[in-house]
Amino acid sequence: MLLTTVLIVVLVVIGIAAVVSVPLMIRSTRRQVVEDVSPGARRPIMGSPAQVWVSRGERVLRELGTTLGEHAALHGISEDAAHVVVELRLTARQVAELDHALAGIPVPSLEEERRTLATALAEAEGGPAAADLARSHEAVSARIAAAERQREQRDALLAKMQAMVTELERARDELAELISGAATDLSPHGGATDTATAQLTGRLDALREGLVEVRQASNPEIGPGGQG
């Protein structure tokens, strides 16, 4: 009798520890997300597209944490989402650096200067000033081209962030639907429990894989064969 009581107490303690550990793991993952981003890196401007996409991704992560905190067996999905948010933050820092660099290249005035130089170069053709004017024209043109390349790179990164966030939001909505559907499908007699649980687990695995694919797509060094 004493042995049975001890076993029951041990099982109860283990069960309580498992439930308590889930929110702790989620908070630990969130701390790691913050630590993974260098504090010295440039931050996106408040209200900028990059900052907006990061905020939306972080909101989804919080909502997933709230939803999955009640389902101990599914906490791995929150970890996958946290990795996506890490990539969002890193990408936003890249965008901020590009925005800062672009702010230092006054493209409109450079274009006006290039037009003036082109006129002066045509007028000085064959004269002693032609060589220096040609060098100036080339230097101004190079700065304008650099700004165009940086703008294209920034726009590509913003498009990537948008794709990541919309995929994350889709996963959140599908997960809420799955959990809600599983709750209504479960029979009190247990007849449909196994089937509903198996279906839920299978679809959650697919969602987790989708989140990992989004994270891999944002990092060319991982590649399609990388580990999630």
Side-chain angles (χ1 to χ4, degrees):
M1 183 65 180
L2 178 60
L3 179 59
T4 301
T5 302
V6 171
L7 288 176
I8 292 175
V9 171
V10 170
L11 290 175
V12 170
V13 170
I14 293 175
I16 294 174
V19 172
V20 172
S21 67
V22 172
L24 293 177
M25 292 178 66
I26 293 174
R27 286 197 292 270
S28 176
T29 298
R30 289 176 179 169
R31 286 197 299 270
Q32 185 63 41
V33 168
V34 175
E35 293 170 358
D36 283 342
V37 180
S38 173
R42 195 176 302 279
R43 296 177 180 273
I45 298 173
M46 184 65 62
S48 66
Q51 186 273 324
V52 171
W53 289 126
V54 171
S55 294
R56 281 176 59 170
E58 290 174 338
R59 182 171 65 249
V60 174
L61 181 59
R62 291 192 298 270
E63 292 168 349
L64 281 173
T66 300
T67 301
L68 297 175
E70 303 171 0
H71 302 274
L74 310 178
H75 68 269
I77 292 181
S78 183
E79 295 177 4
D80 287 334
H83 287 302
V84 175
V85 173
V86 167
E87 295 297 340
L88 278 173
R89 289 174 174 169
L90 294 175
T91 304
R93 300 299 174 93
Q94 288 180 272
V95 172
E97 292 292 348
L98 288 168
D99 280 337
H100 179 73
L102 285 168
I105 305 178
V107 174
S109 62
L110 286 175
E111 290 176 339
E112 178 62 29
E113 184 178 0
R114 182 168 62 176
R115 286 191 293 269
T116 301
L117 284 169
T119 300
L121 184 58
E123 294 174 351
E125 184 177 1
D132 287 334
L133 288 170
R135 289 170 56 194
S136 296
H137 186 274
E138 181 181 356
V140 170
S141 298
R143 293 187 68 192
I144 294 173
E148 291 175 350
R149 290 192 300 271
Q150 290 172 347
R151 189 177 298 106
E152 290 175 355
Q153 184 179 1
R154 180 199 60 190
D155 292 345
L157 289 173
L158 287 173
K160 182 183 297 183
M161 293 181 71
Q162 180 177 11
M164 292 171 68
V165 171
T166 52
E167 284 289 337
L168 192 58
E169 290 173 337
R170 175 186 176 185
R172 173 203 58 196
D173 295 343
E174 290 188 2
L175 180 61
E177 181 182 6
L178 287 174
I179 292 176
S180 175
T184 57
D185 288 343
L186 294 181
S187 167
H189 302 292
T193 301
D194 294 340
T195 300
T197 302
Q199 291 175 349
L200 177 60
T201 301
R203 292 189 63 189
L204 289 177
D205 286 341
L207 284 179
R208 185 183 297 110
E209 292 174 2
L211 290 173
V212 173
E213 288 175 4
V214 171
R215 177 164 56 87
Q216 290 175 344
S218 72
N219 189 348
E221 294 182 359
I222 298 178
Q227 297 297 318

